[in-house]
Amino acid sequence: MISSKIEEALNRQIDLEGFSSMYYLAMGSWAEVNGYKGVAQFLYHHSDEERMHMLKLFRYINDRGGRAIVPPFAAPQKDFKNIREIFDIVHSHEVKVSNEINALVELCIQEKDYTTHNFLQWYVTEQIEEESLARDVIDKLNLIGEDKGGMYLFDRDLATLTGQQGGGKGHGGHGH
Ligand code: OFO
């Protein structure tokens, strides 16, 4: 059984993971209508992963005697300057998510909820991958700069990177 404090905190995390899913969906849509089909594929896949992160929390809360609630999600930004802006946002958003996961872990220690602490370790590992993936993509964009041919190849590359996102299953490297 989880305490109401932990239940509330996990429900806030549901809100954040669900928002991440919508956010990446919005970015994917922008990329798709602006000619970046590979980037769109990558972001749609990322959006699916975030939904899975959210669902995992739903199942856990309900399994442990709490109740998972679907929150009223905030509408994500729908317009972006360029691909670089999108991945800068992805990176800073993932850093924020990592901070929230760390705060949750800290709360579990305070509350002596070692079961939830254990459950959250999956997220701790996942966040290392998510941050590093976003940094890898930004590194590629830095190399390309303003080069149009480079952007064309980048877009193709991201489509292939899609299959390598691990969803916490421990993918080795990010295709570079
Ligand atoms: Fe759920 O890891 Fe990104 O937000």
Side-chain angles (χ1 to χ4, degrees):
M1 186 89 193
I2 45 173
S3 70
S4 56
K5 206 166 177 177
I6 295 286
E7 181 181 354
E8 270 168 36
L10 291 175
N11 266 303
R12 278 198 301 277
Q13 193 63 28
I14 282 180
D15 196 355
L16 188 55
E17 301 287 350
F19 178 74
S20 304
S21 178
M22 311 288 193
Y23 211 0
Y24 298 152
L25 196 58
M27 291 172 185
S29 181
W30 185 92
E32 190 160 48
V33 300
N34 282 280
Y36 297 100
K37 300 270 185 271
V39 173
Q41 193 178 320
F42 175 89
L43 289 165
Y44 287 154
H45 181 80
H46 205 352
S47 170
D48 282 348
E49 287 212 337
E50 297 299 351
R51 187 181 182 281
M52 186 269 287
H53 298 173
M54 176 178 74
L55 188 60
K56 222 171 150 67
L57 284 153
F58 263 76
R59 308 292 305 272
Y60 179 78
I61 294 173
N62 290 343
D63 273 355
R64 300 282 304 146
R67 179 157 179 217
I69 305 289
V70 178
F73 295 110
Q77 176 180 344
K78 66 180 193 309
D79 289 311
F80 303 91
K81 269 207 303 273
N82 49 37
I83 295 295
R84 175 65 203 237
E85 186 192 38
I86 285 180
F87 284 101
D88 282 341
I89 295 174
V90 169
H91 181 252
S92 57
H93 186 69
E94 288 305 331
V95 170
K96 179 182 161 180
V97 173
S98 298
N99 290 340
E100 294 302 324
I101 294 290
N102 291 341
L104 266 174
V105 169
E106 179 64 35
L107 181 69
C108 289
I109 295 168
Q110 278 167 25
E111 297 286 299
K112 297 188 174 14
D113 182 343
Y114 302 112
T115 311
T116 305
H117 184 277
N118 184 49
F119 165 76
L120 287 171
Q121 296 314 303
W122 183 89
Y123 288 85
V124 171
T125 308
E126 179 67 11
Q127 283 314 118
I128 297 170
E129 294 191 4
E130 298 244 334
E131 281 188 42
S132 120
L133 181 61
R135 269 198 311 273
D136 282 356
V137 173
I138 290 170
D139 285 348
K140 284 181 197 287
L141 287 170
N142 283 341
L143 280 174
I144 293 162
E146 299 294 309
D147 181 48
K148 286 219 161 58
M151 273 312 283
Y152 174 79
L153 293 174
F154 169 84
D155 186 57
R156 262 194 4 196
D157 235 35
L158 273 221
T160 61
L161 207 59
T162 305
Q164 295 171 25
Q165 291 179 66
K169 288 181 285 295
H171 57 107
H174 303 304
H176 60 167

